[in-house]
Amino acid sequence: MTATSRRDWLLSDRPASRRQARLGQAWRTWLAFRSNWLAMVGLGIVLLLILVAVFANAIAPYDPVLGGDLRTERFLPPLTGNHLLGTDDLSRDIFSRIVHGSRLTLMVVVLVAVIATPIGLLVGTTAGYFGGWTDTVLMRTTDIFLAFPRLILALAFVAALGPGIENAIIAIAITSWPPYARLARAETLTIRDSDFINAARLQGASAVRILWGHVAPLCLSSIIIRVTLDMAGIILTAAGLGFLGLGAQPPQPEWGAMIASGRRFLIDQWWVATMPGIAIFVVSLGFNLLGDGLRDVLDPKARK
C-alpha cells in the first residue's frame, strides 16, 4: 500500500471496519494536533524529558552525587572546562544532577497520574451515575479536599507520613484526584440518561459494566486533558516539597532540593539555584503547551 492510498484509506468517510474507523479518527486527531506548532513544541519538550530520563547515565558526564576536588572545582561558573552548567558548593556537576533529576521528576509525574486519575475517575463516575446519597457523600468528601490549597494539604500529609520522595508522591496523589472527580461527575451527568445507556440497562448490563464500559471511556478525553494540564502543578508541588526539605532527601538530585541548597549562594554563585529553576520552568511550560494542544484536539467545545 502506497503512502497516498494509505492516507486515503485512513481519511475515508465510509470505513469498512471498526479498526479502519479507529485508525482514521486517530490519524485525524494527529493531523489536527500537528497543525498547532505550540503543541508540537510542548510535545517536543516532554519527549526530550523522557529521553533524558531514560538515557541519563549516558548523557551525564559526571556522577550526580559524588563531587570533585573541593579546592579547585567548587563553584565553577558555567562553561568552565567540562562543566557545562558549572558546579555547586560540593563541586558536583550541576548539569549531571539536572539530568539525573529528570528521572525523579518524571517518576513523580507518572506515579501521581497513575494513582490519582483512576481514583478521581471512579469517584466522579460513581457519584454522577448513581446520584442521591452516594453523590452527596462522595462529592462532600471531594469538597473537603478542594477546600484546602494543594501545597498546604500536601505539606500536612508529608508531615504526617514523614519526609521522602515516596511519601511526597503519595501526598501529591491524595491532593490531586478531587478535580478529576468533579470533572468526571459533570461528564457522567450529561450522558447517564442517554439512549445508549438506557439500551444497555434494558439488555441487562450491570452498573459496573455500564460505568467502565460506556461511561468512563467517554470521560477519558476530558480527564486526559486535565491531567496533562495538571502536570506542571504536580512538578511545582514536588519541587516545593523538595525545597522545604519534605520531598526527596539529599544527596538525591531533585530540582527543588537543588534550588533550596543553592539559594544561600544566589548573589555570587547564581547558577547553582538558577539552572534547576530553568529546568522546572521549561518542563512545566512543555506540559502546559501539550495540555493546551490536547484540549484543542480532544475537547469538541474547545475547538476553534
Side-chain angles (χ1 to χ4, degrees), residues 30-51:
W30 166 248
L31 291 178
F33 182 84
R34 192 176 62 179
S35 63
N36 187 339
W37 69 272
L38 285 176
M40 292 299 295
V41 171
L43 178 62
I45 293 174
V46 173
L47 291 178
L48 180 62
L49 172 68
I50 296 173
L51 291 175

Side-chain angles (χ1 to χ4, degrees), residues 243 258-267 272-273:
F243 182 86
M258 291 174 63
I259 296 176
S261 65
R263 74 184 189 277
R264 298 172 295 168
F265 320 107
L266 192 59
I267 301 300
V272 179

Side-chain angles (χ1 to χ4, degrees), residues 43 61 65 110 112 133 138 149 181 193 209 212 217 230 233 238 243 259 280 287:
L43 178 62
V65 176
V110 171
V112 169
W133 67 268
L138 292 177
D193 294 325
R209 183 173 181 179
W212 292 106
D230 280 353
F243 182 86
I259 296 176
I280 294 174
F287 277 111

Side-chain angles (χ1 to χ4, degrees), residues 29-101:
T29 300
W30 166 248
L31 291 178
F33 182 84
R34 192 176 62 179
S35 63
N36 187 339
W37 69 272
L38 285 176
M40 292 299 295
V41 171
L43 178 62
I45 293 174
V46 173
L47 291 178
L48 180 62
L49 172 68
I50 296 173
L51 291 175
V52 169
V54 171
F55 299 104
N57 291 332
I59 297 175
Y62 298 95
D63 189 287
V65 176
L66 300 178
D69 191 345
L70 291 175
R71 295 173 298 178
T72 59
E73 297 184 0
R74 186 169 180 262
F75 287 133
L76 293 179
L79 302 178
T80 300
N82 295 325
H83 300 286
L84 180 63
L85 302 180
T87 60
D88 61 7
D89 56 319
L90 297 178
S91 70
R92 296 172 298 192
D93 183 63
I94 295 177
F95 175 74
S96 300
R97 289 179 61 78
I98 290 177
V99 168
H100 281 273

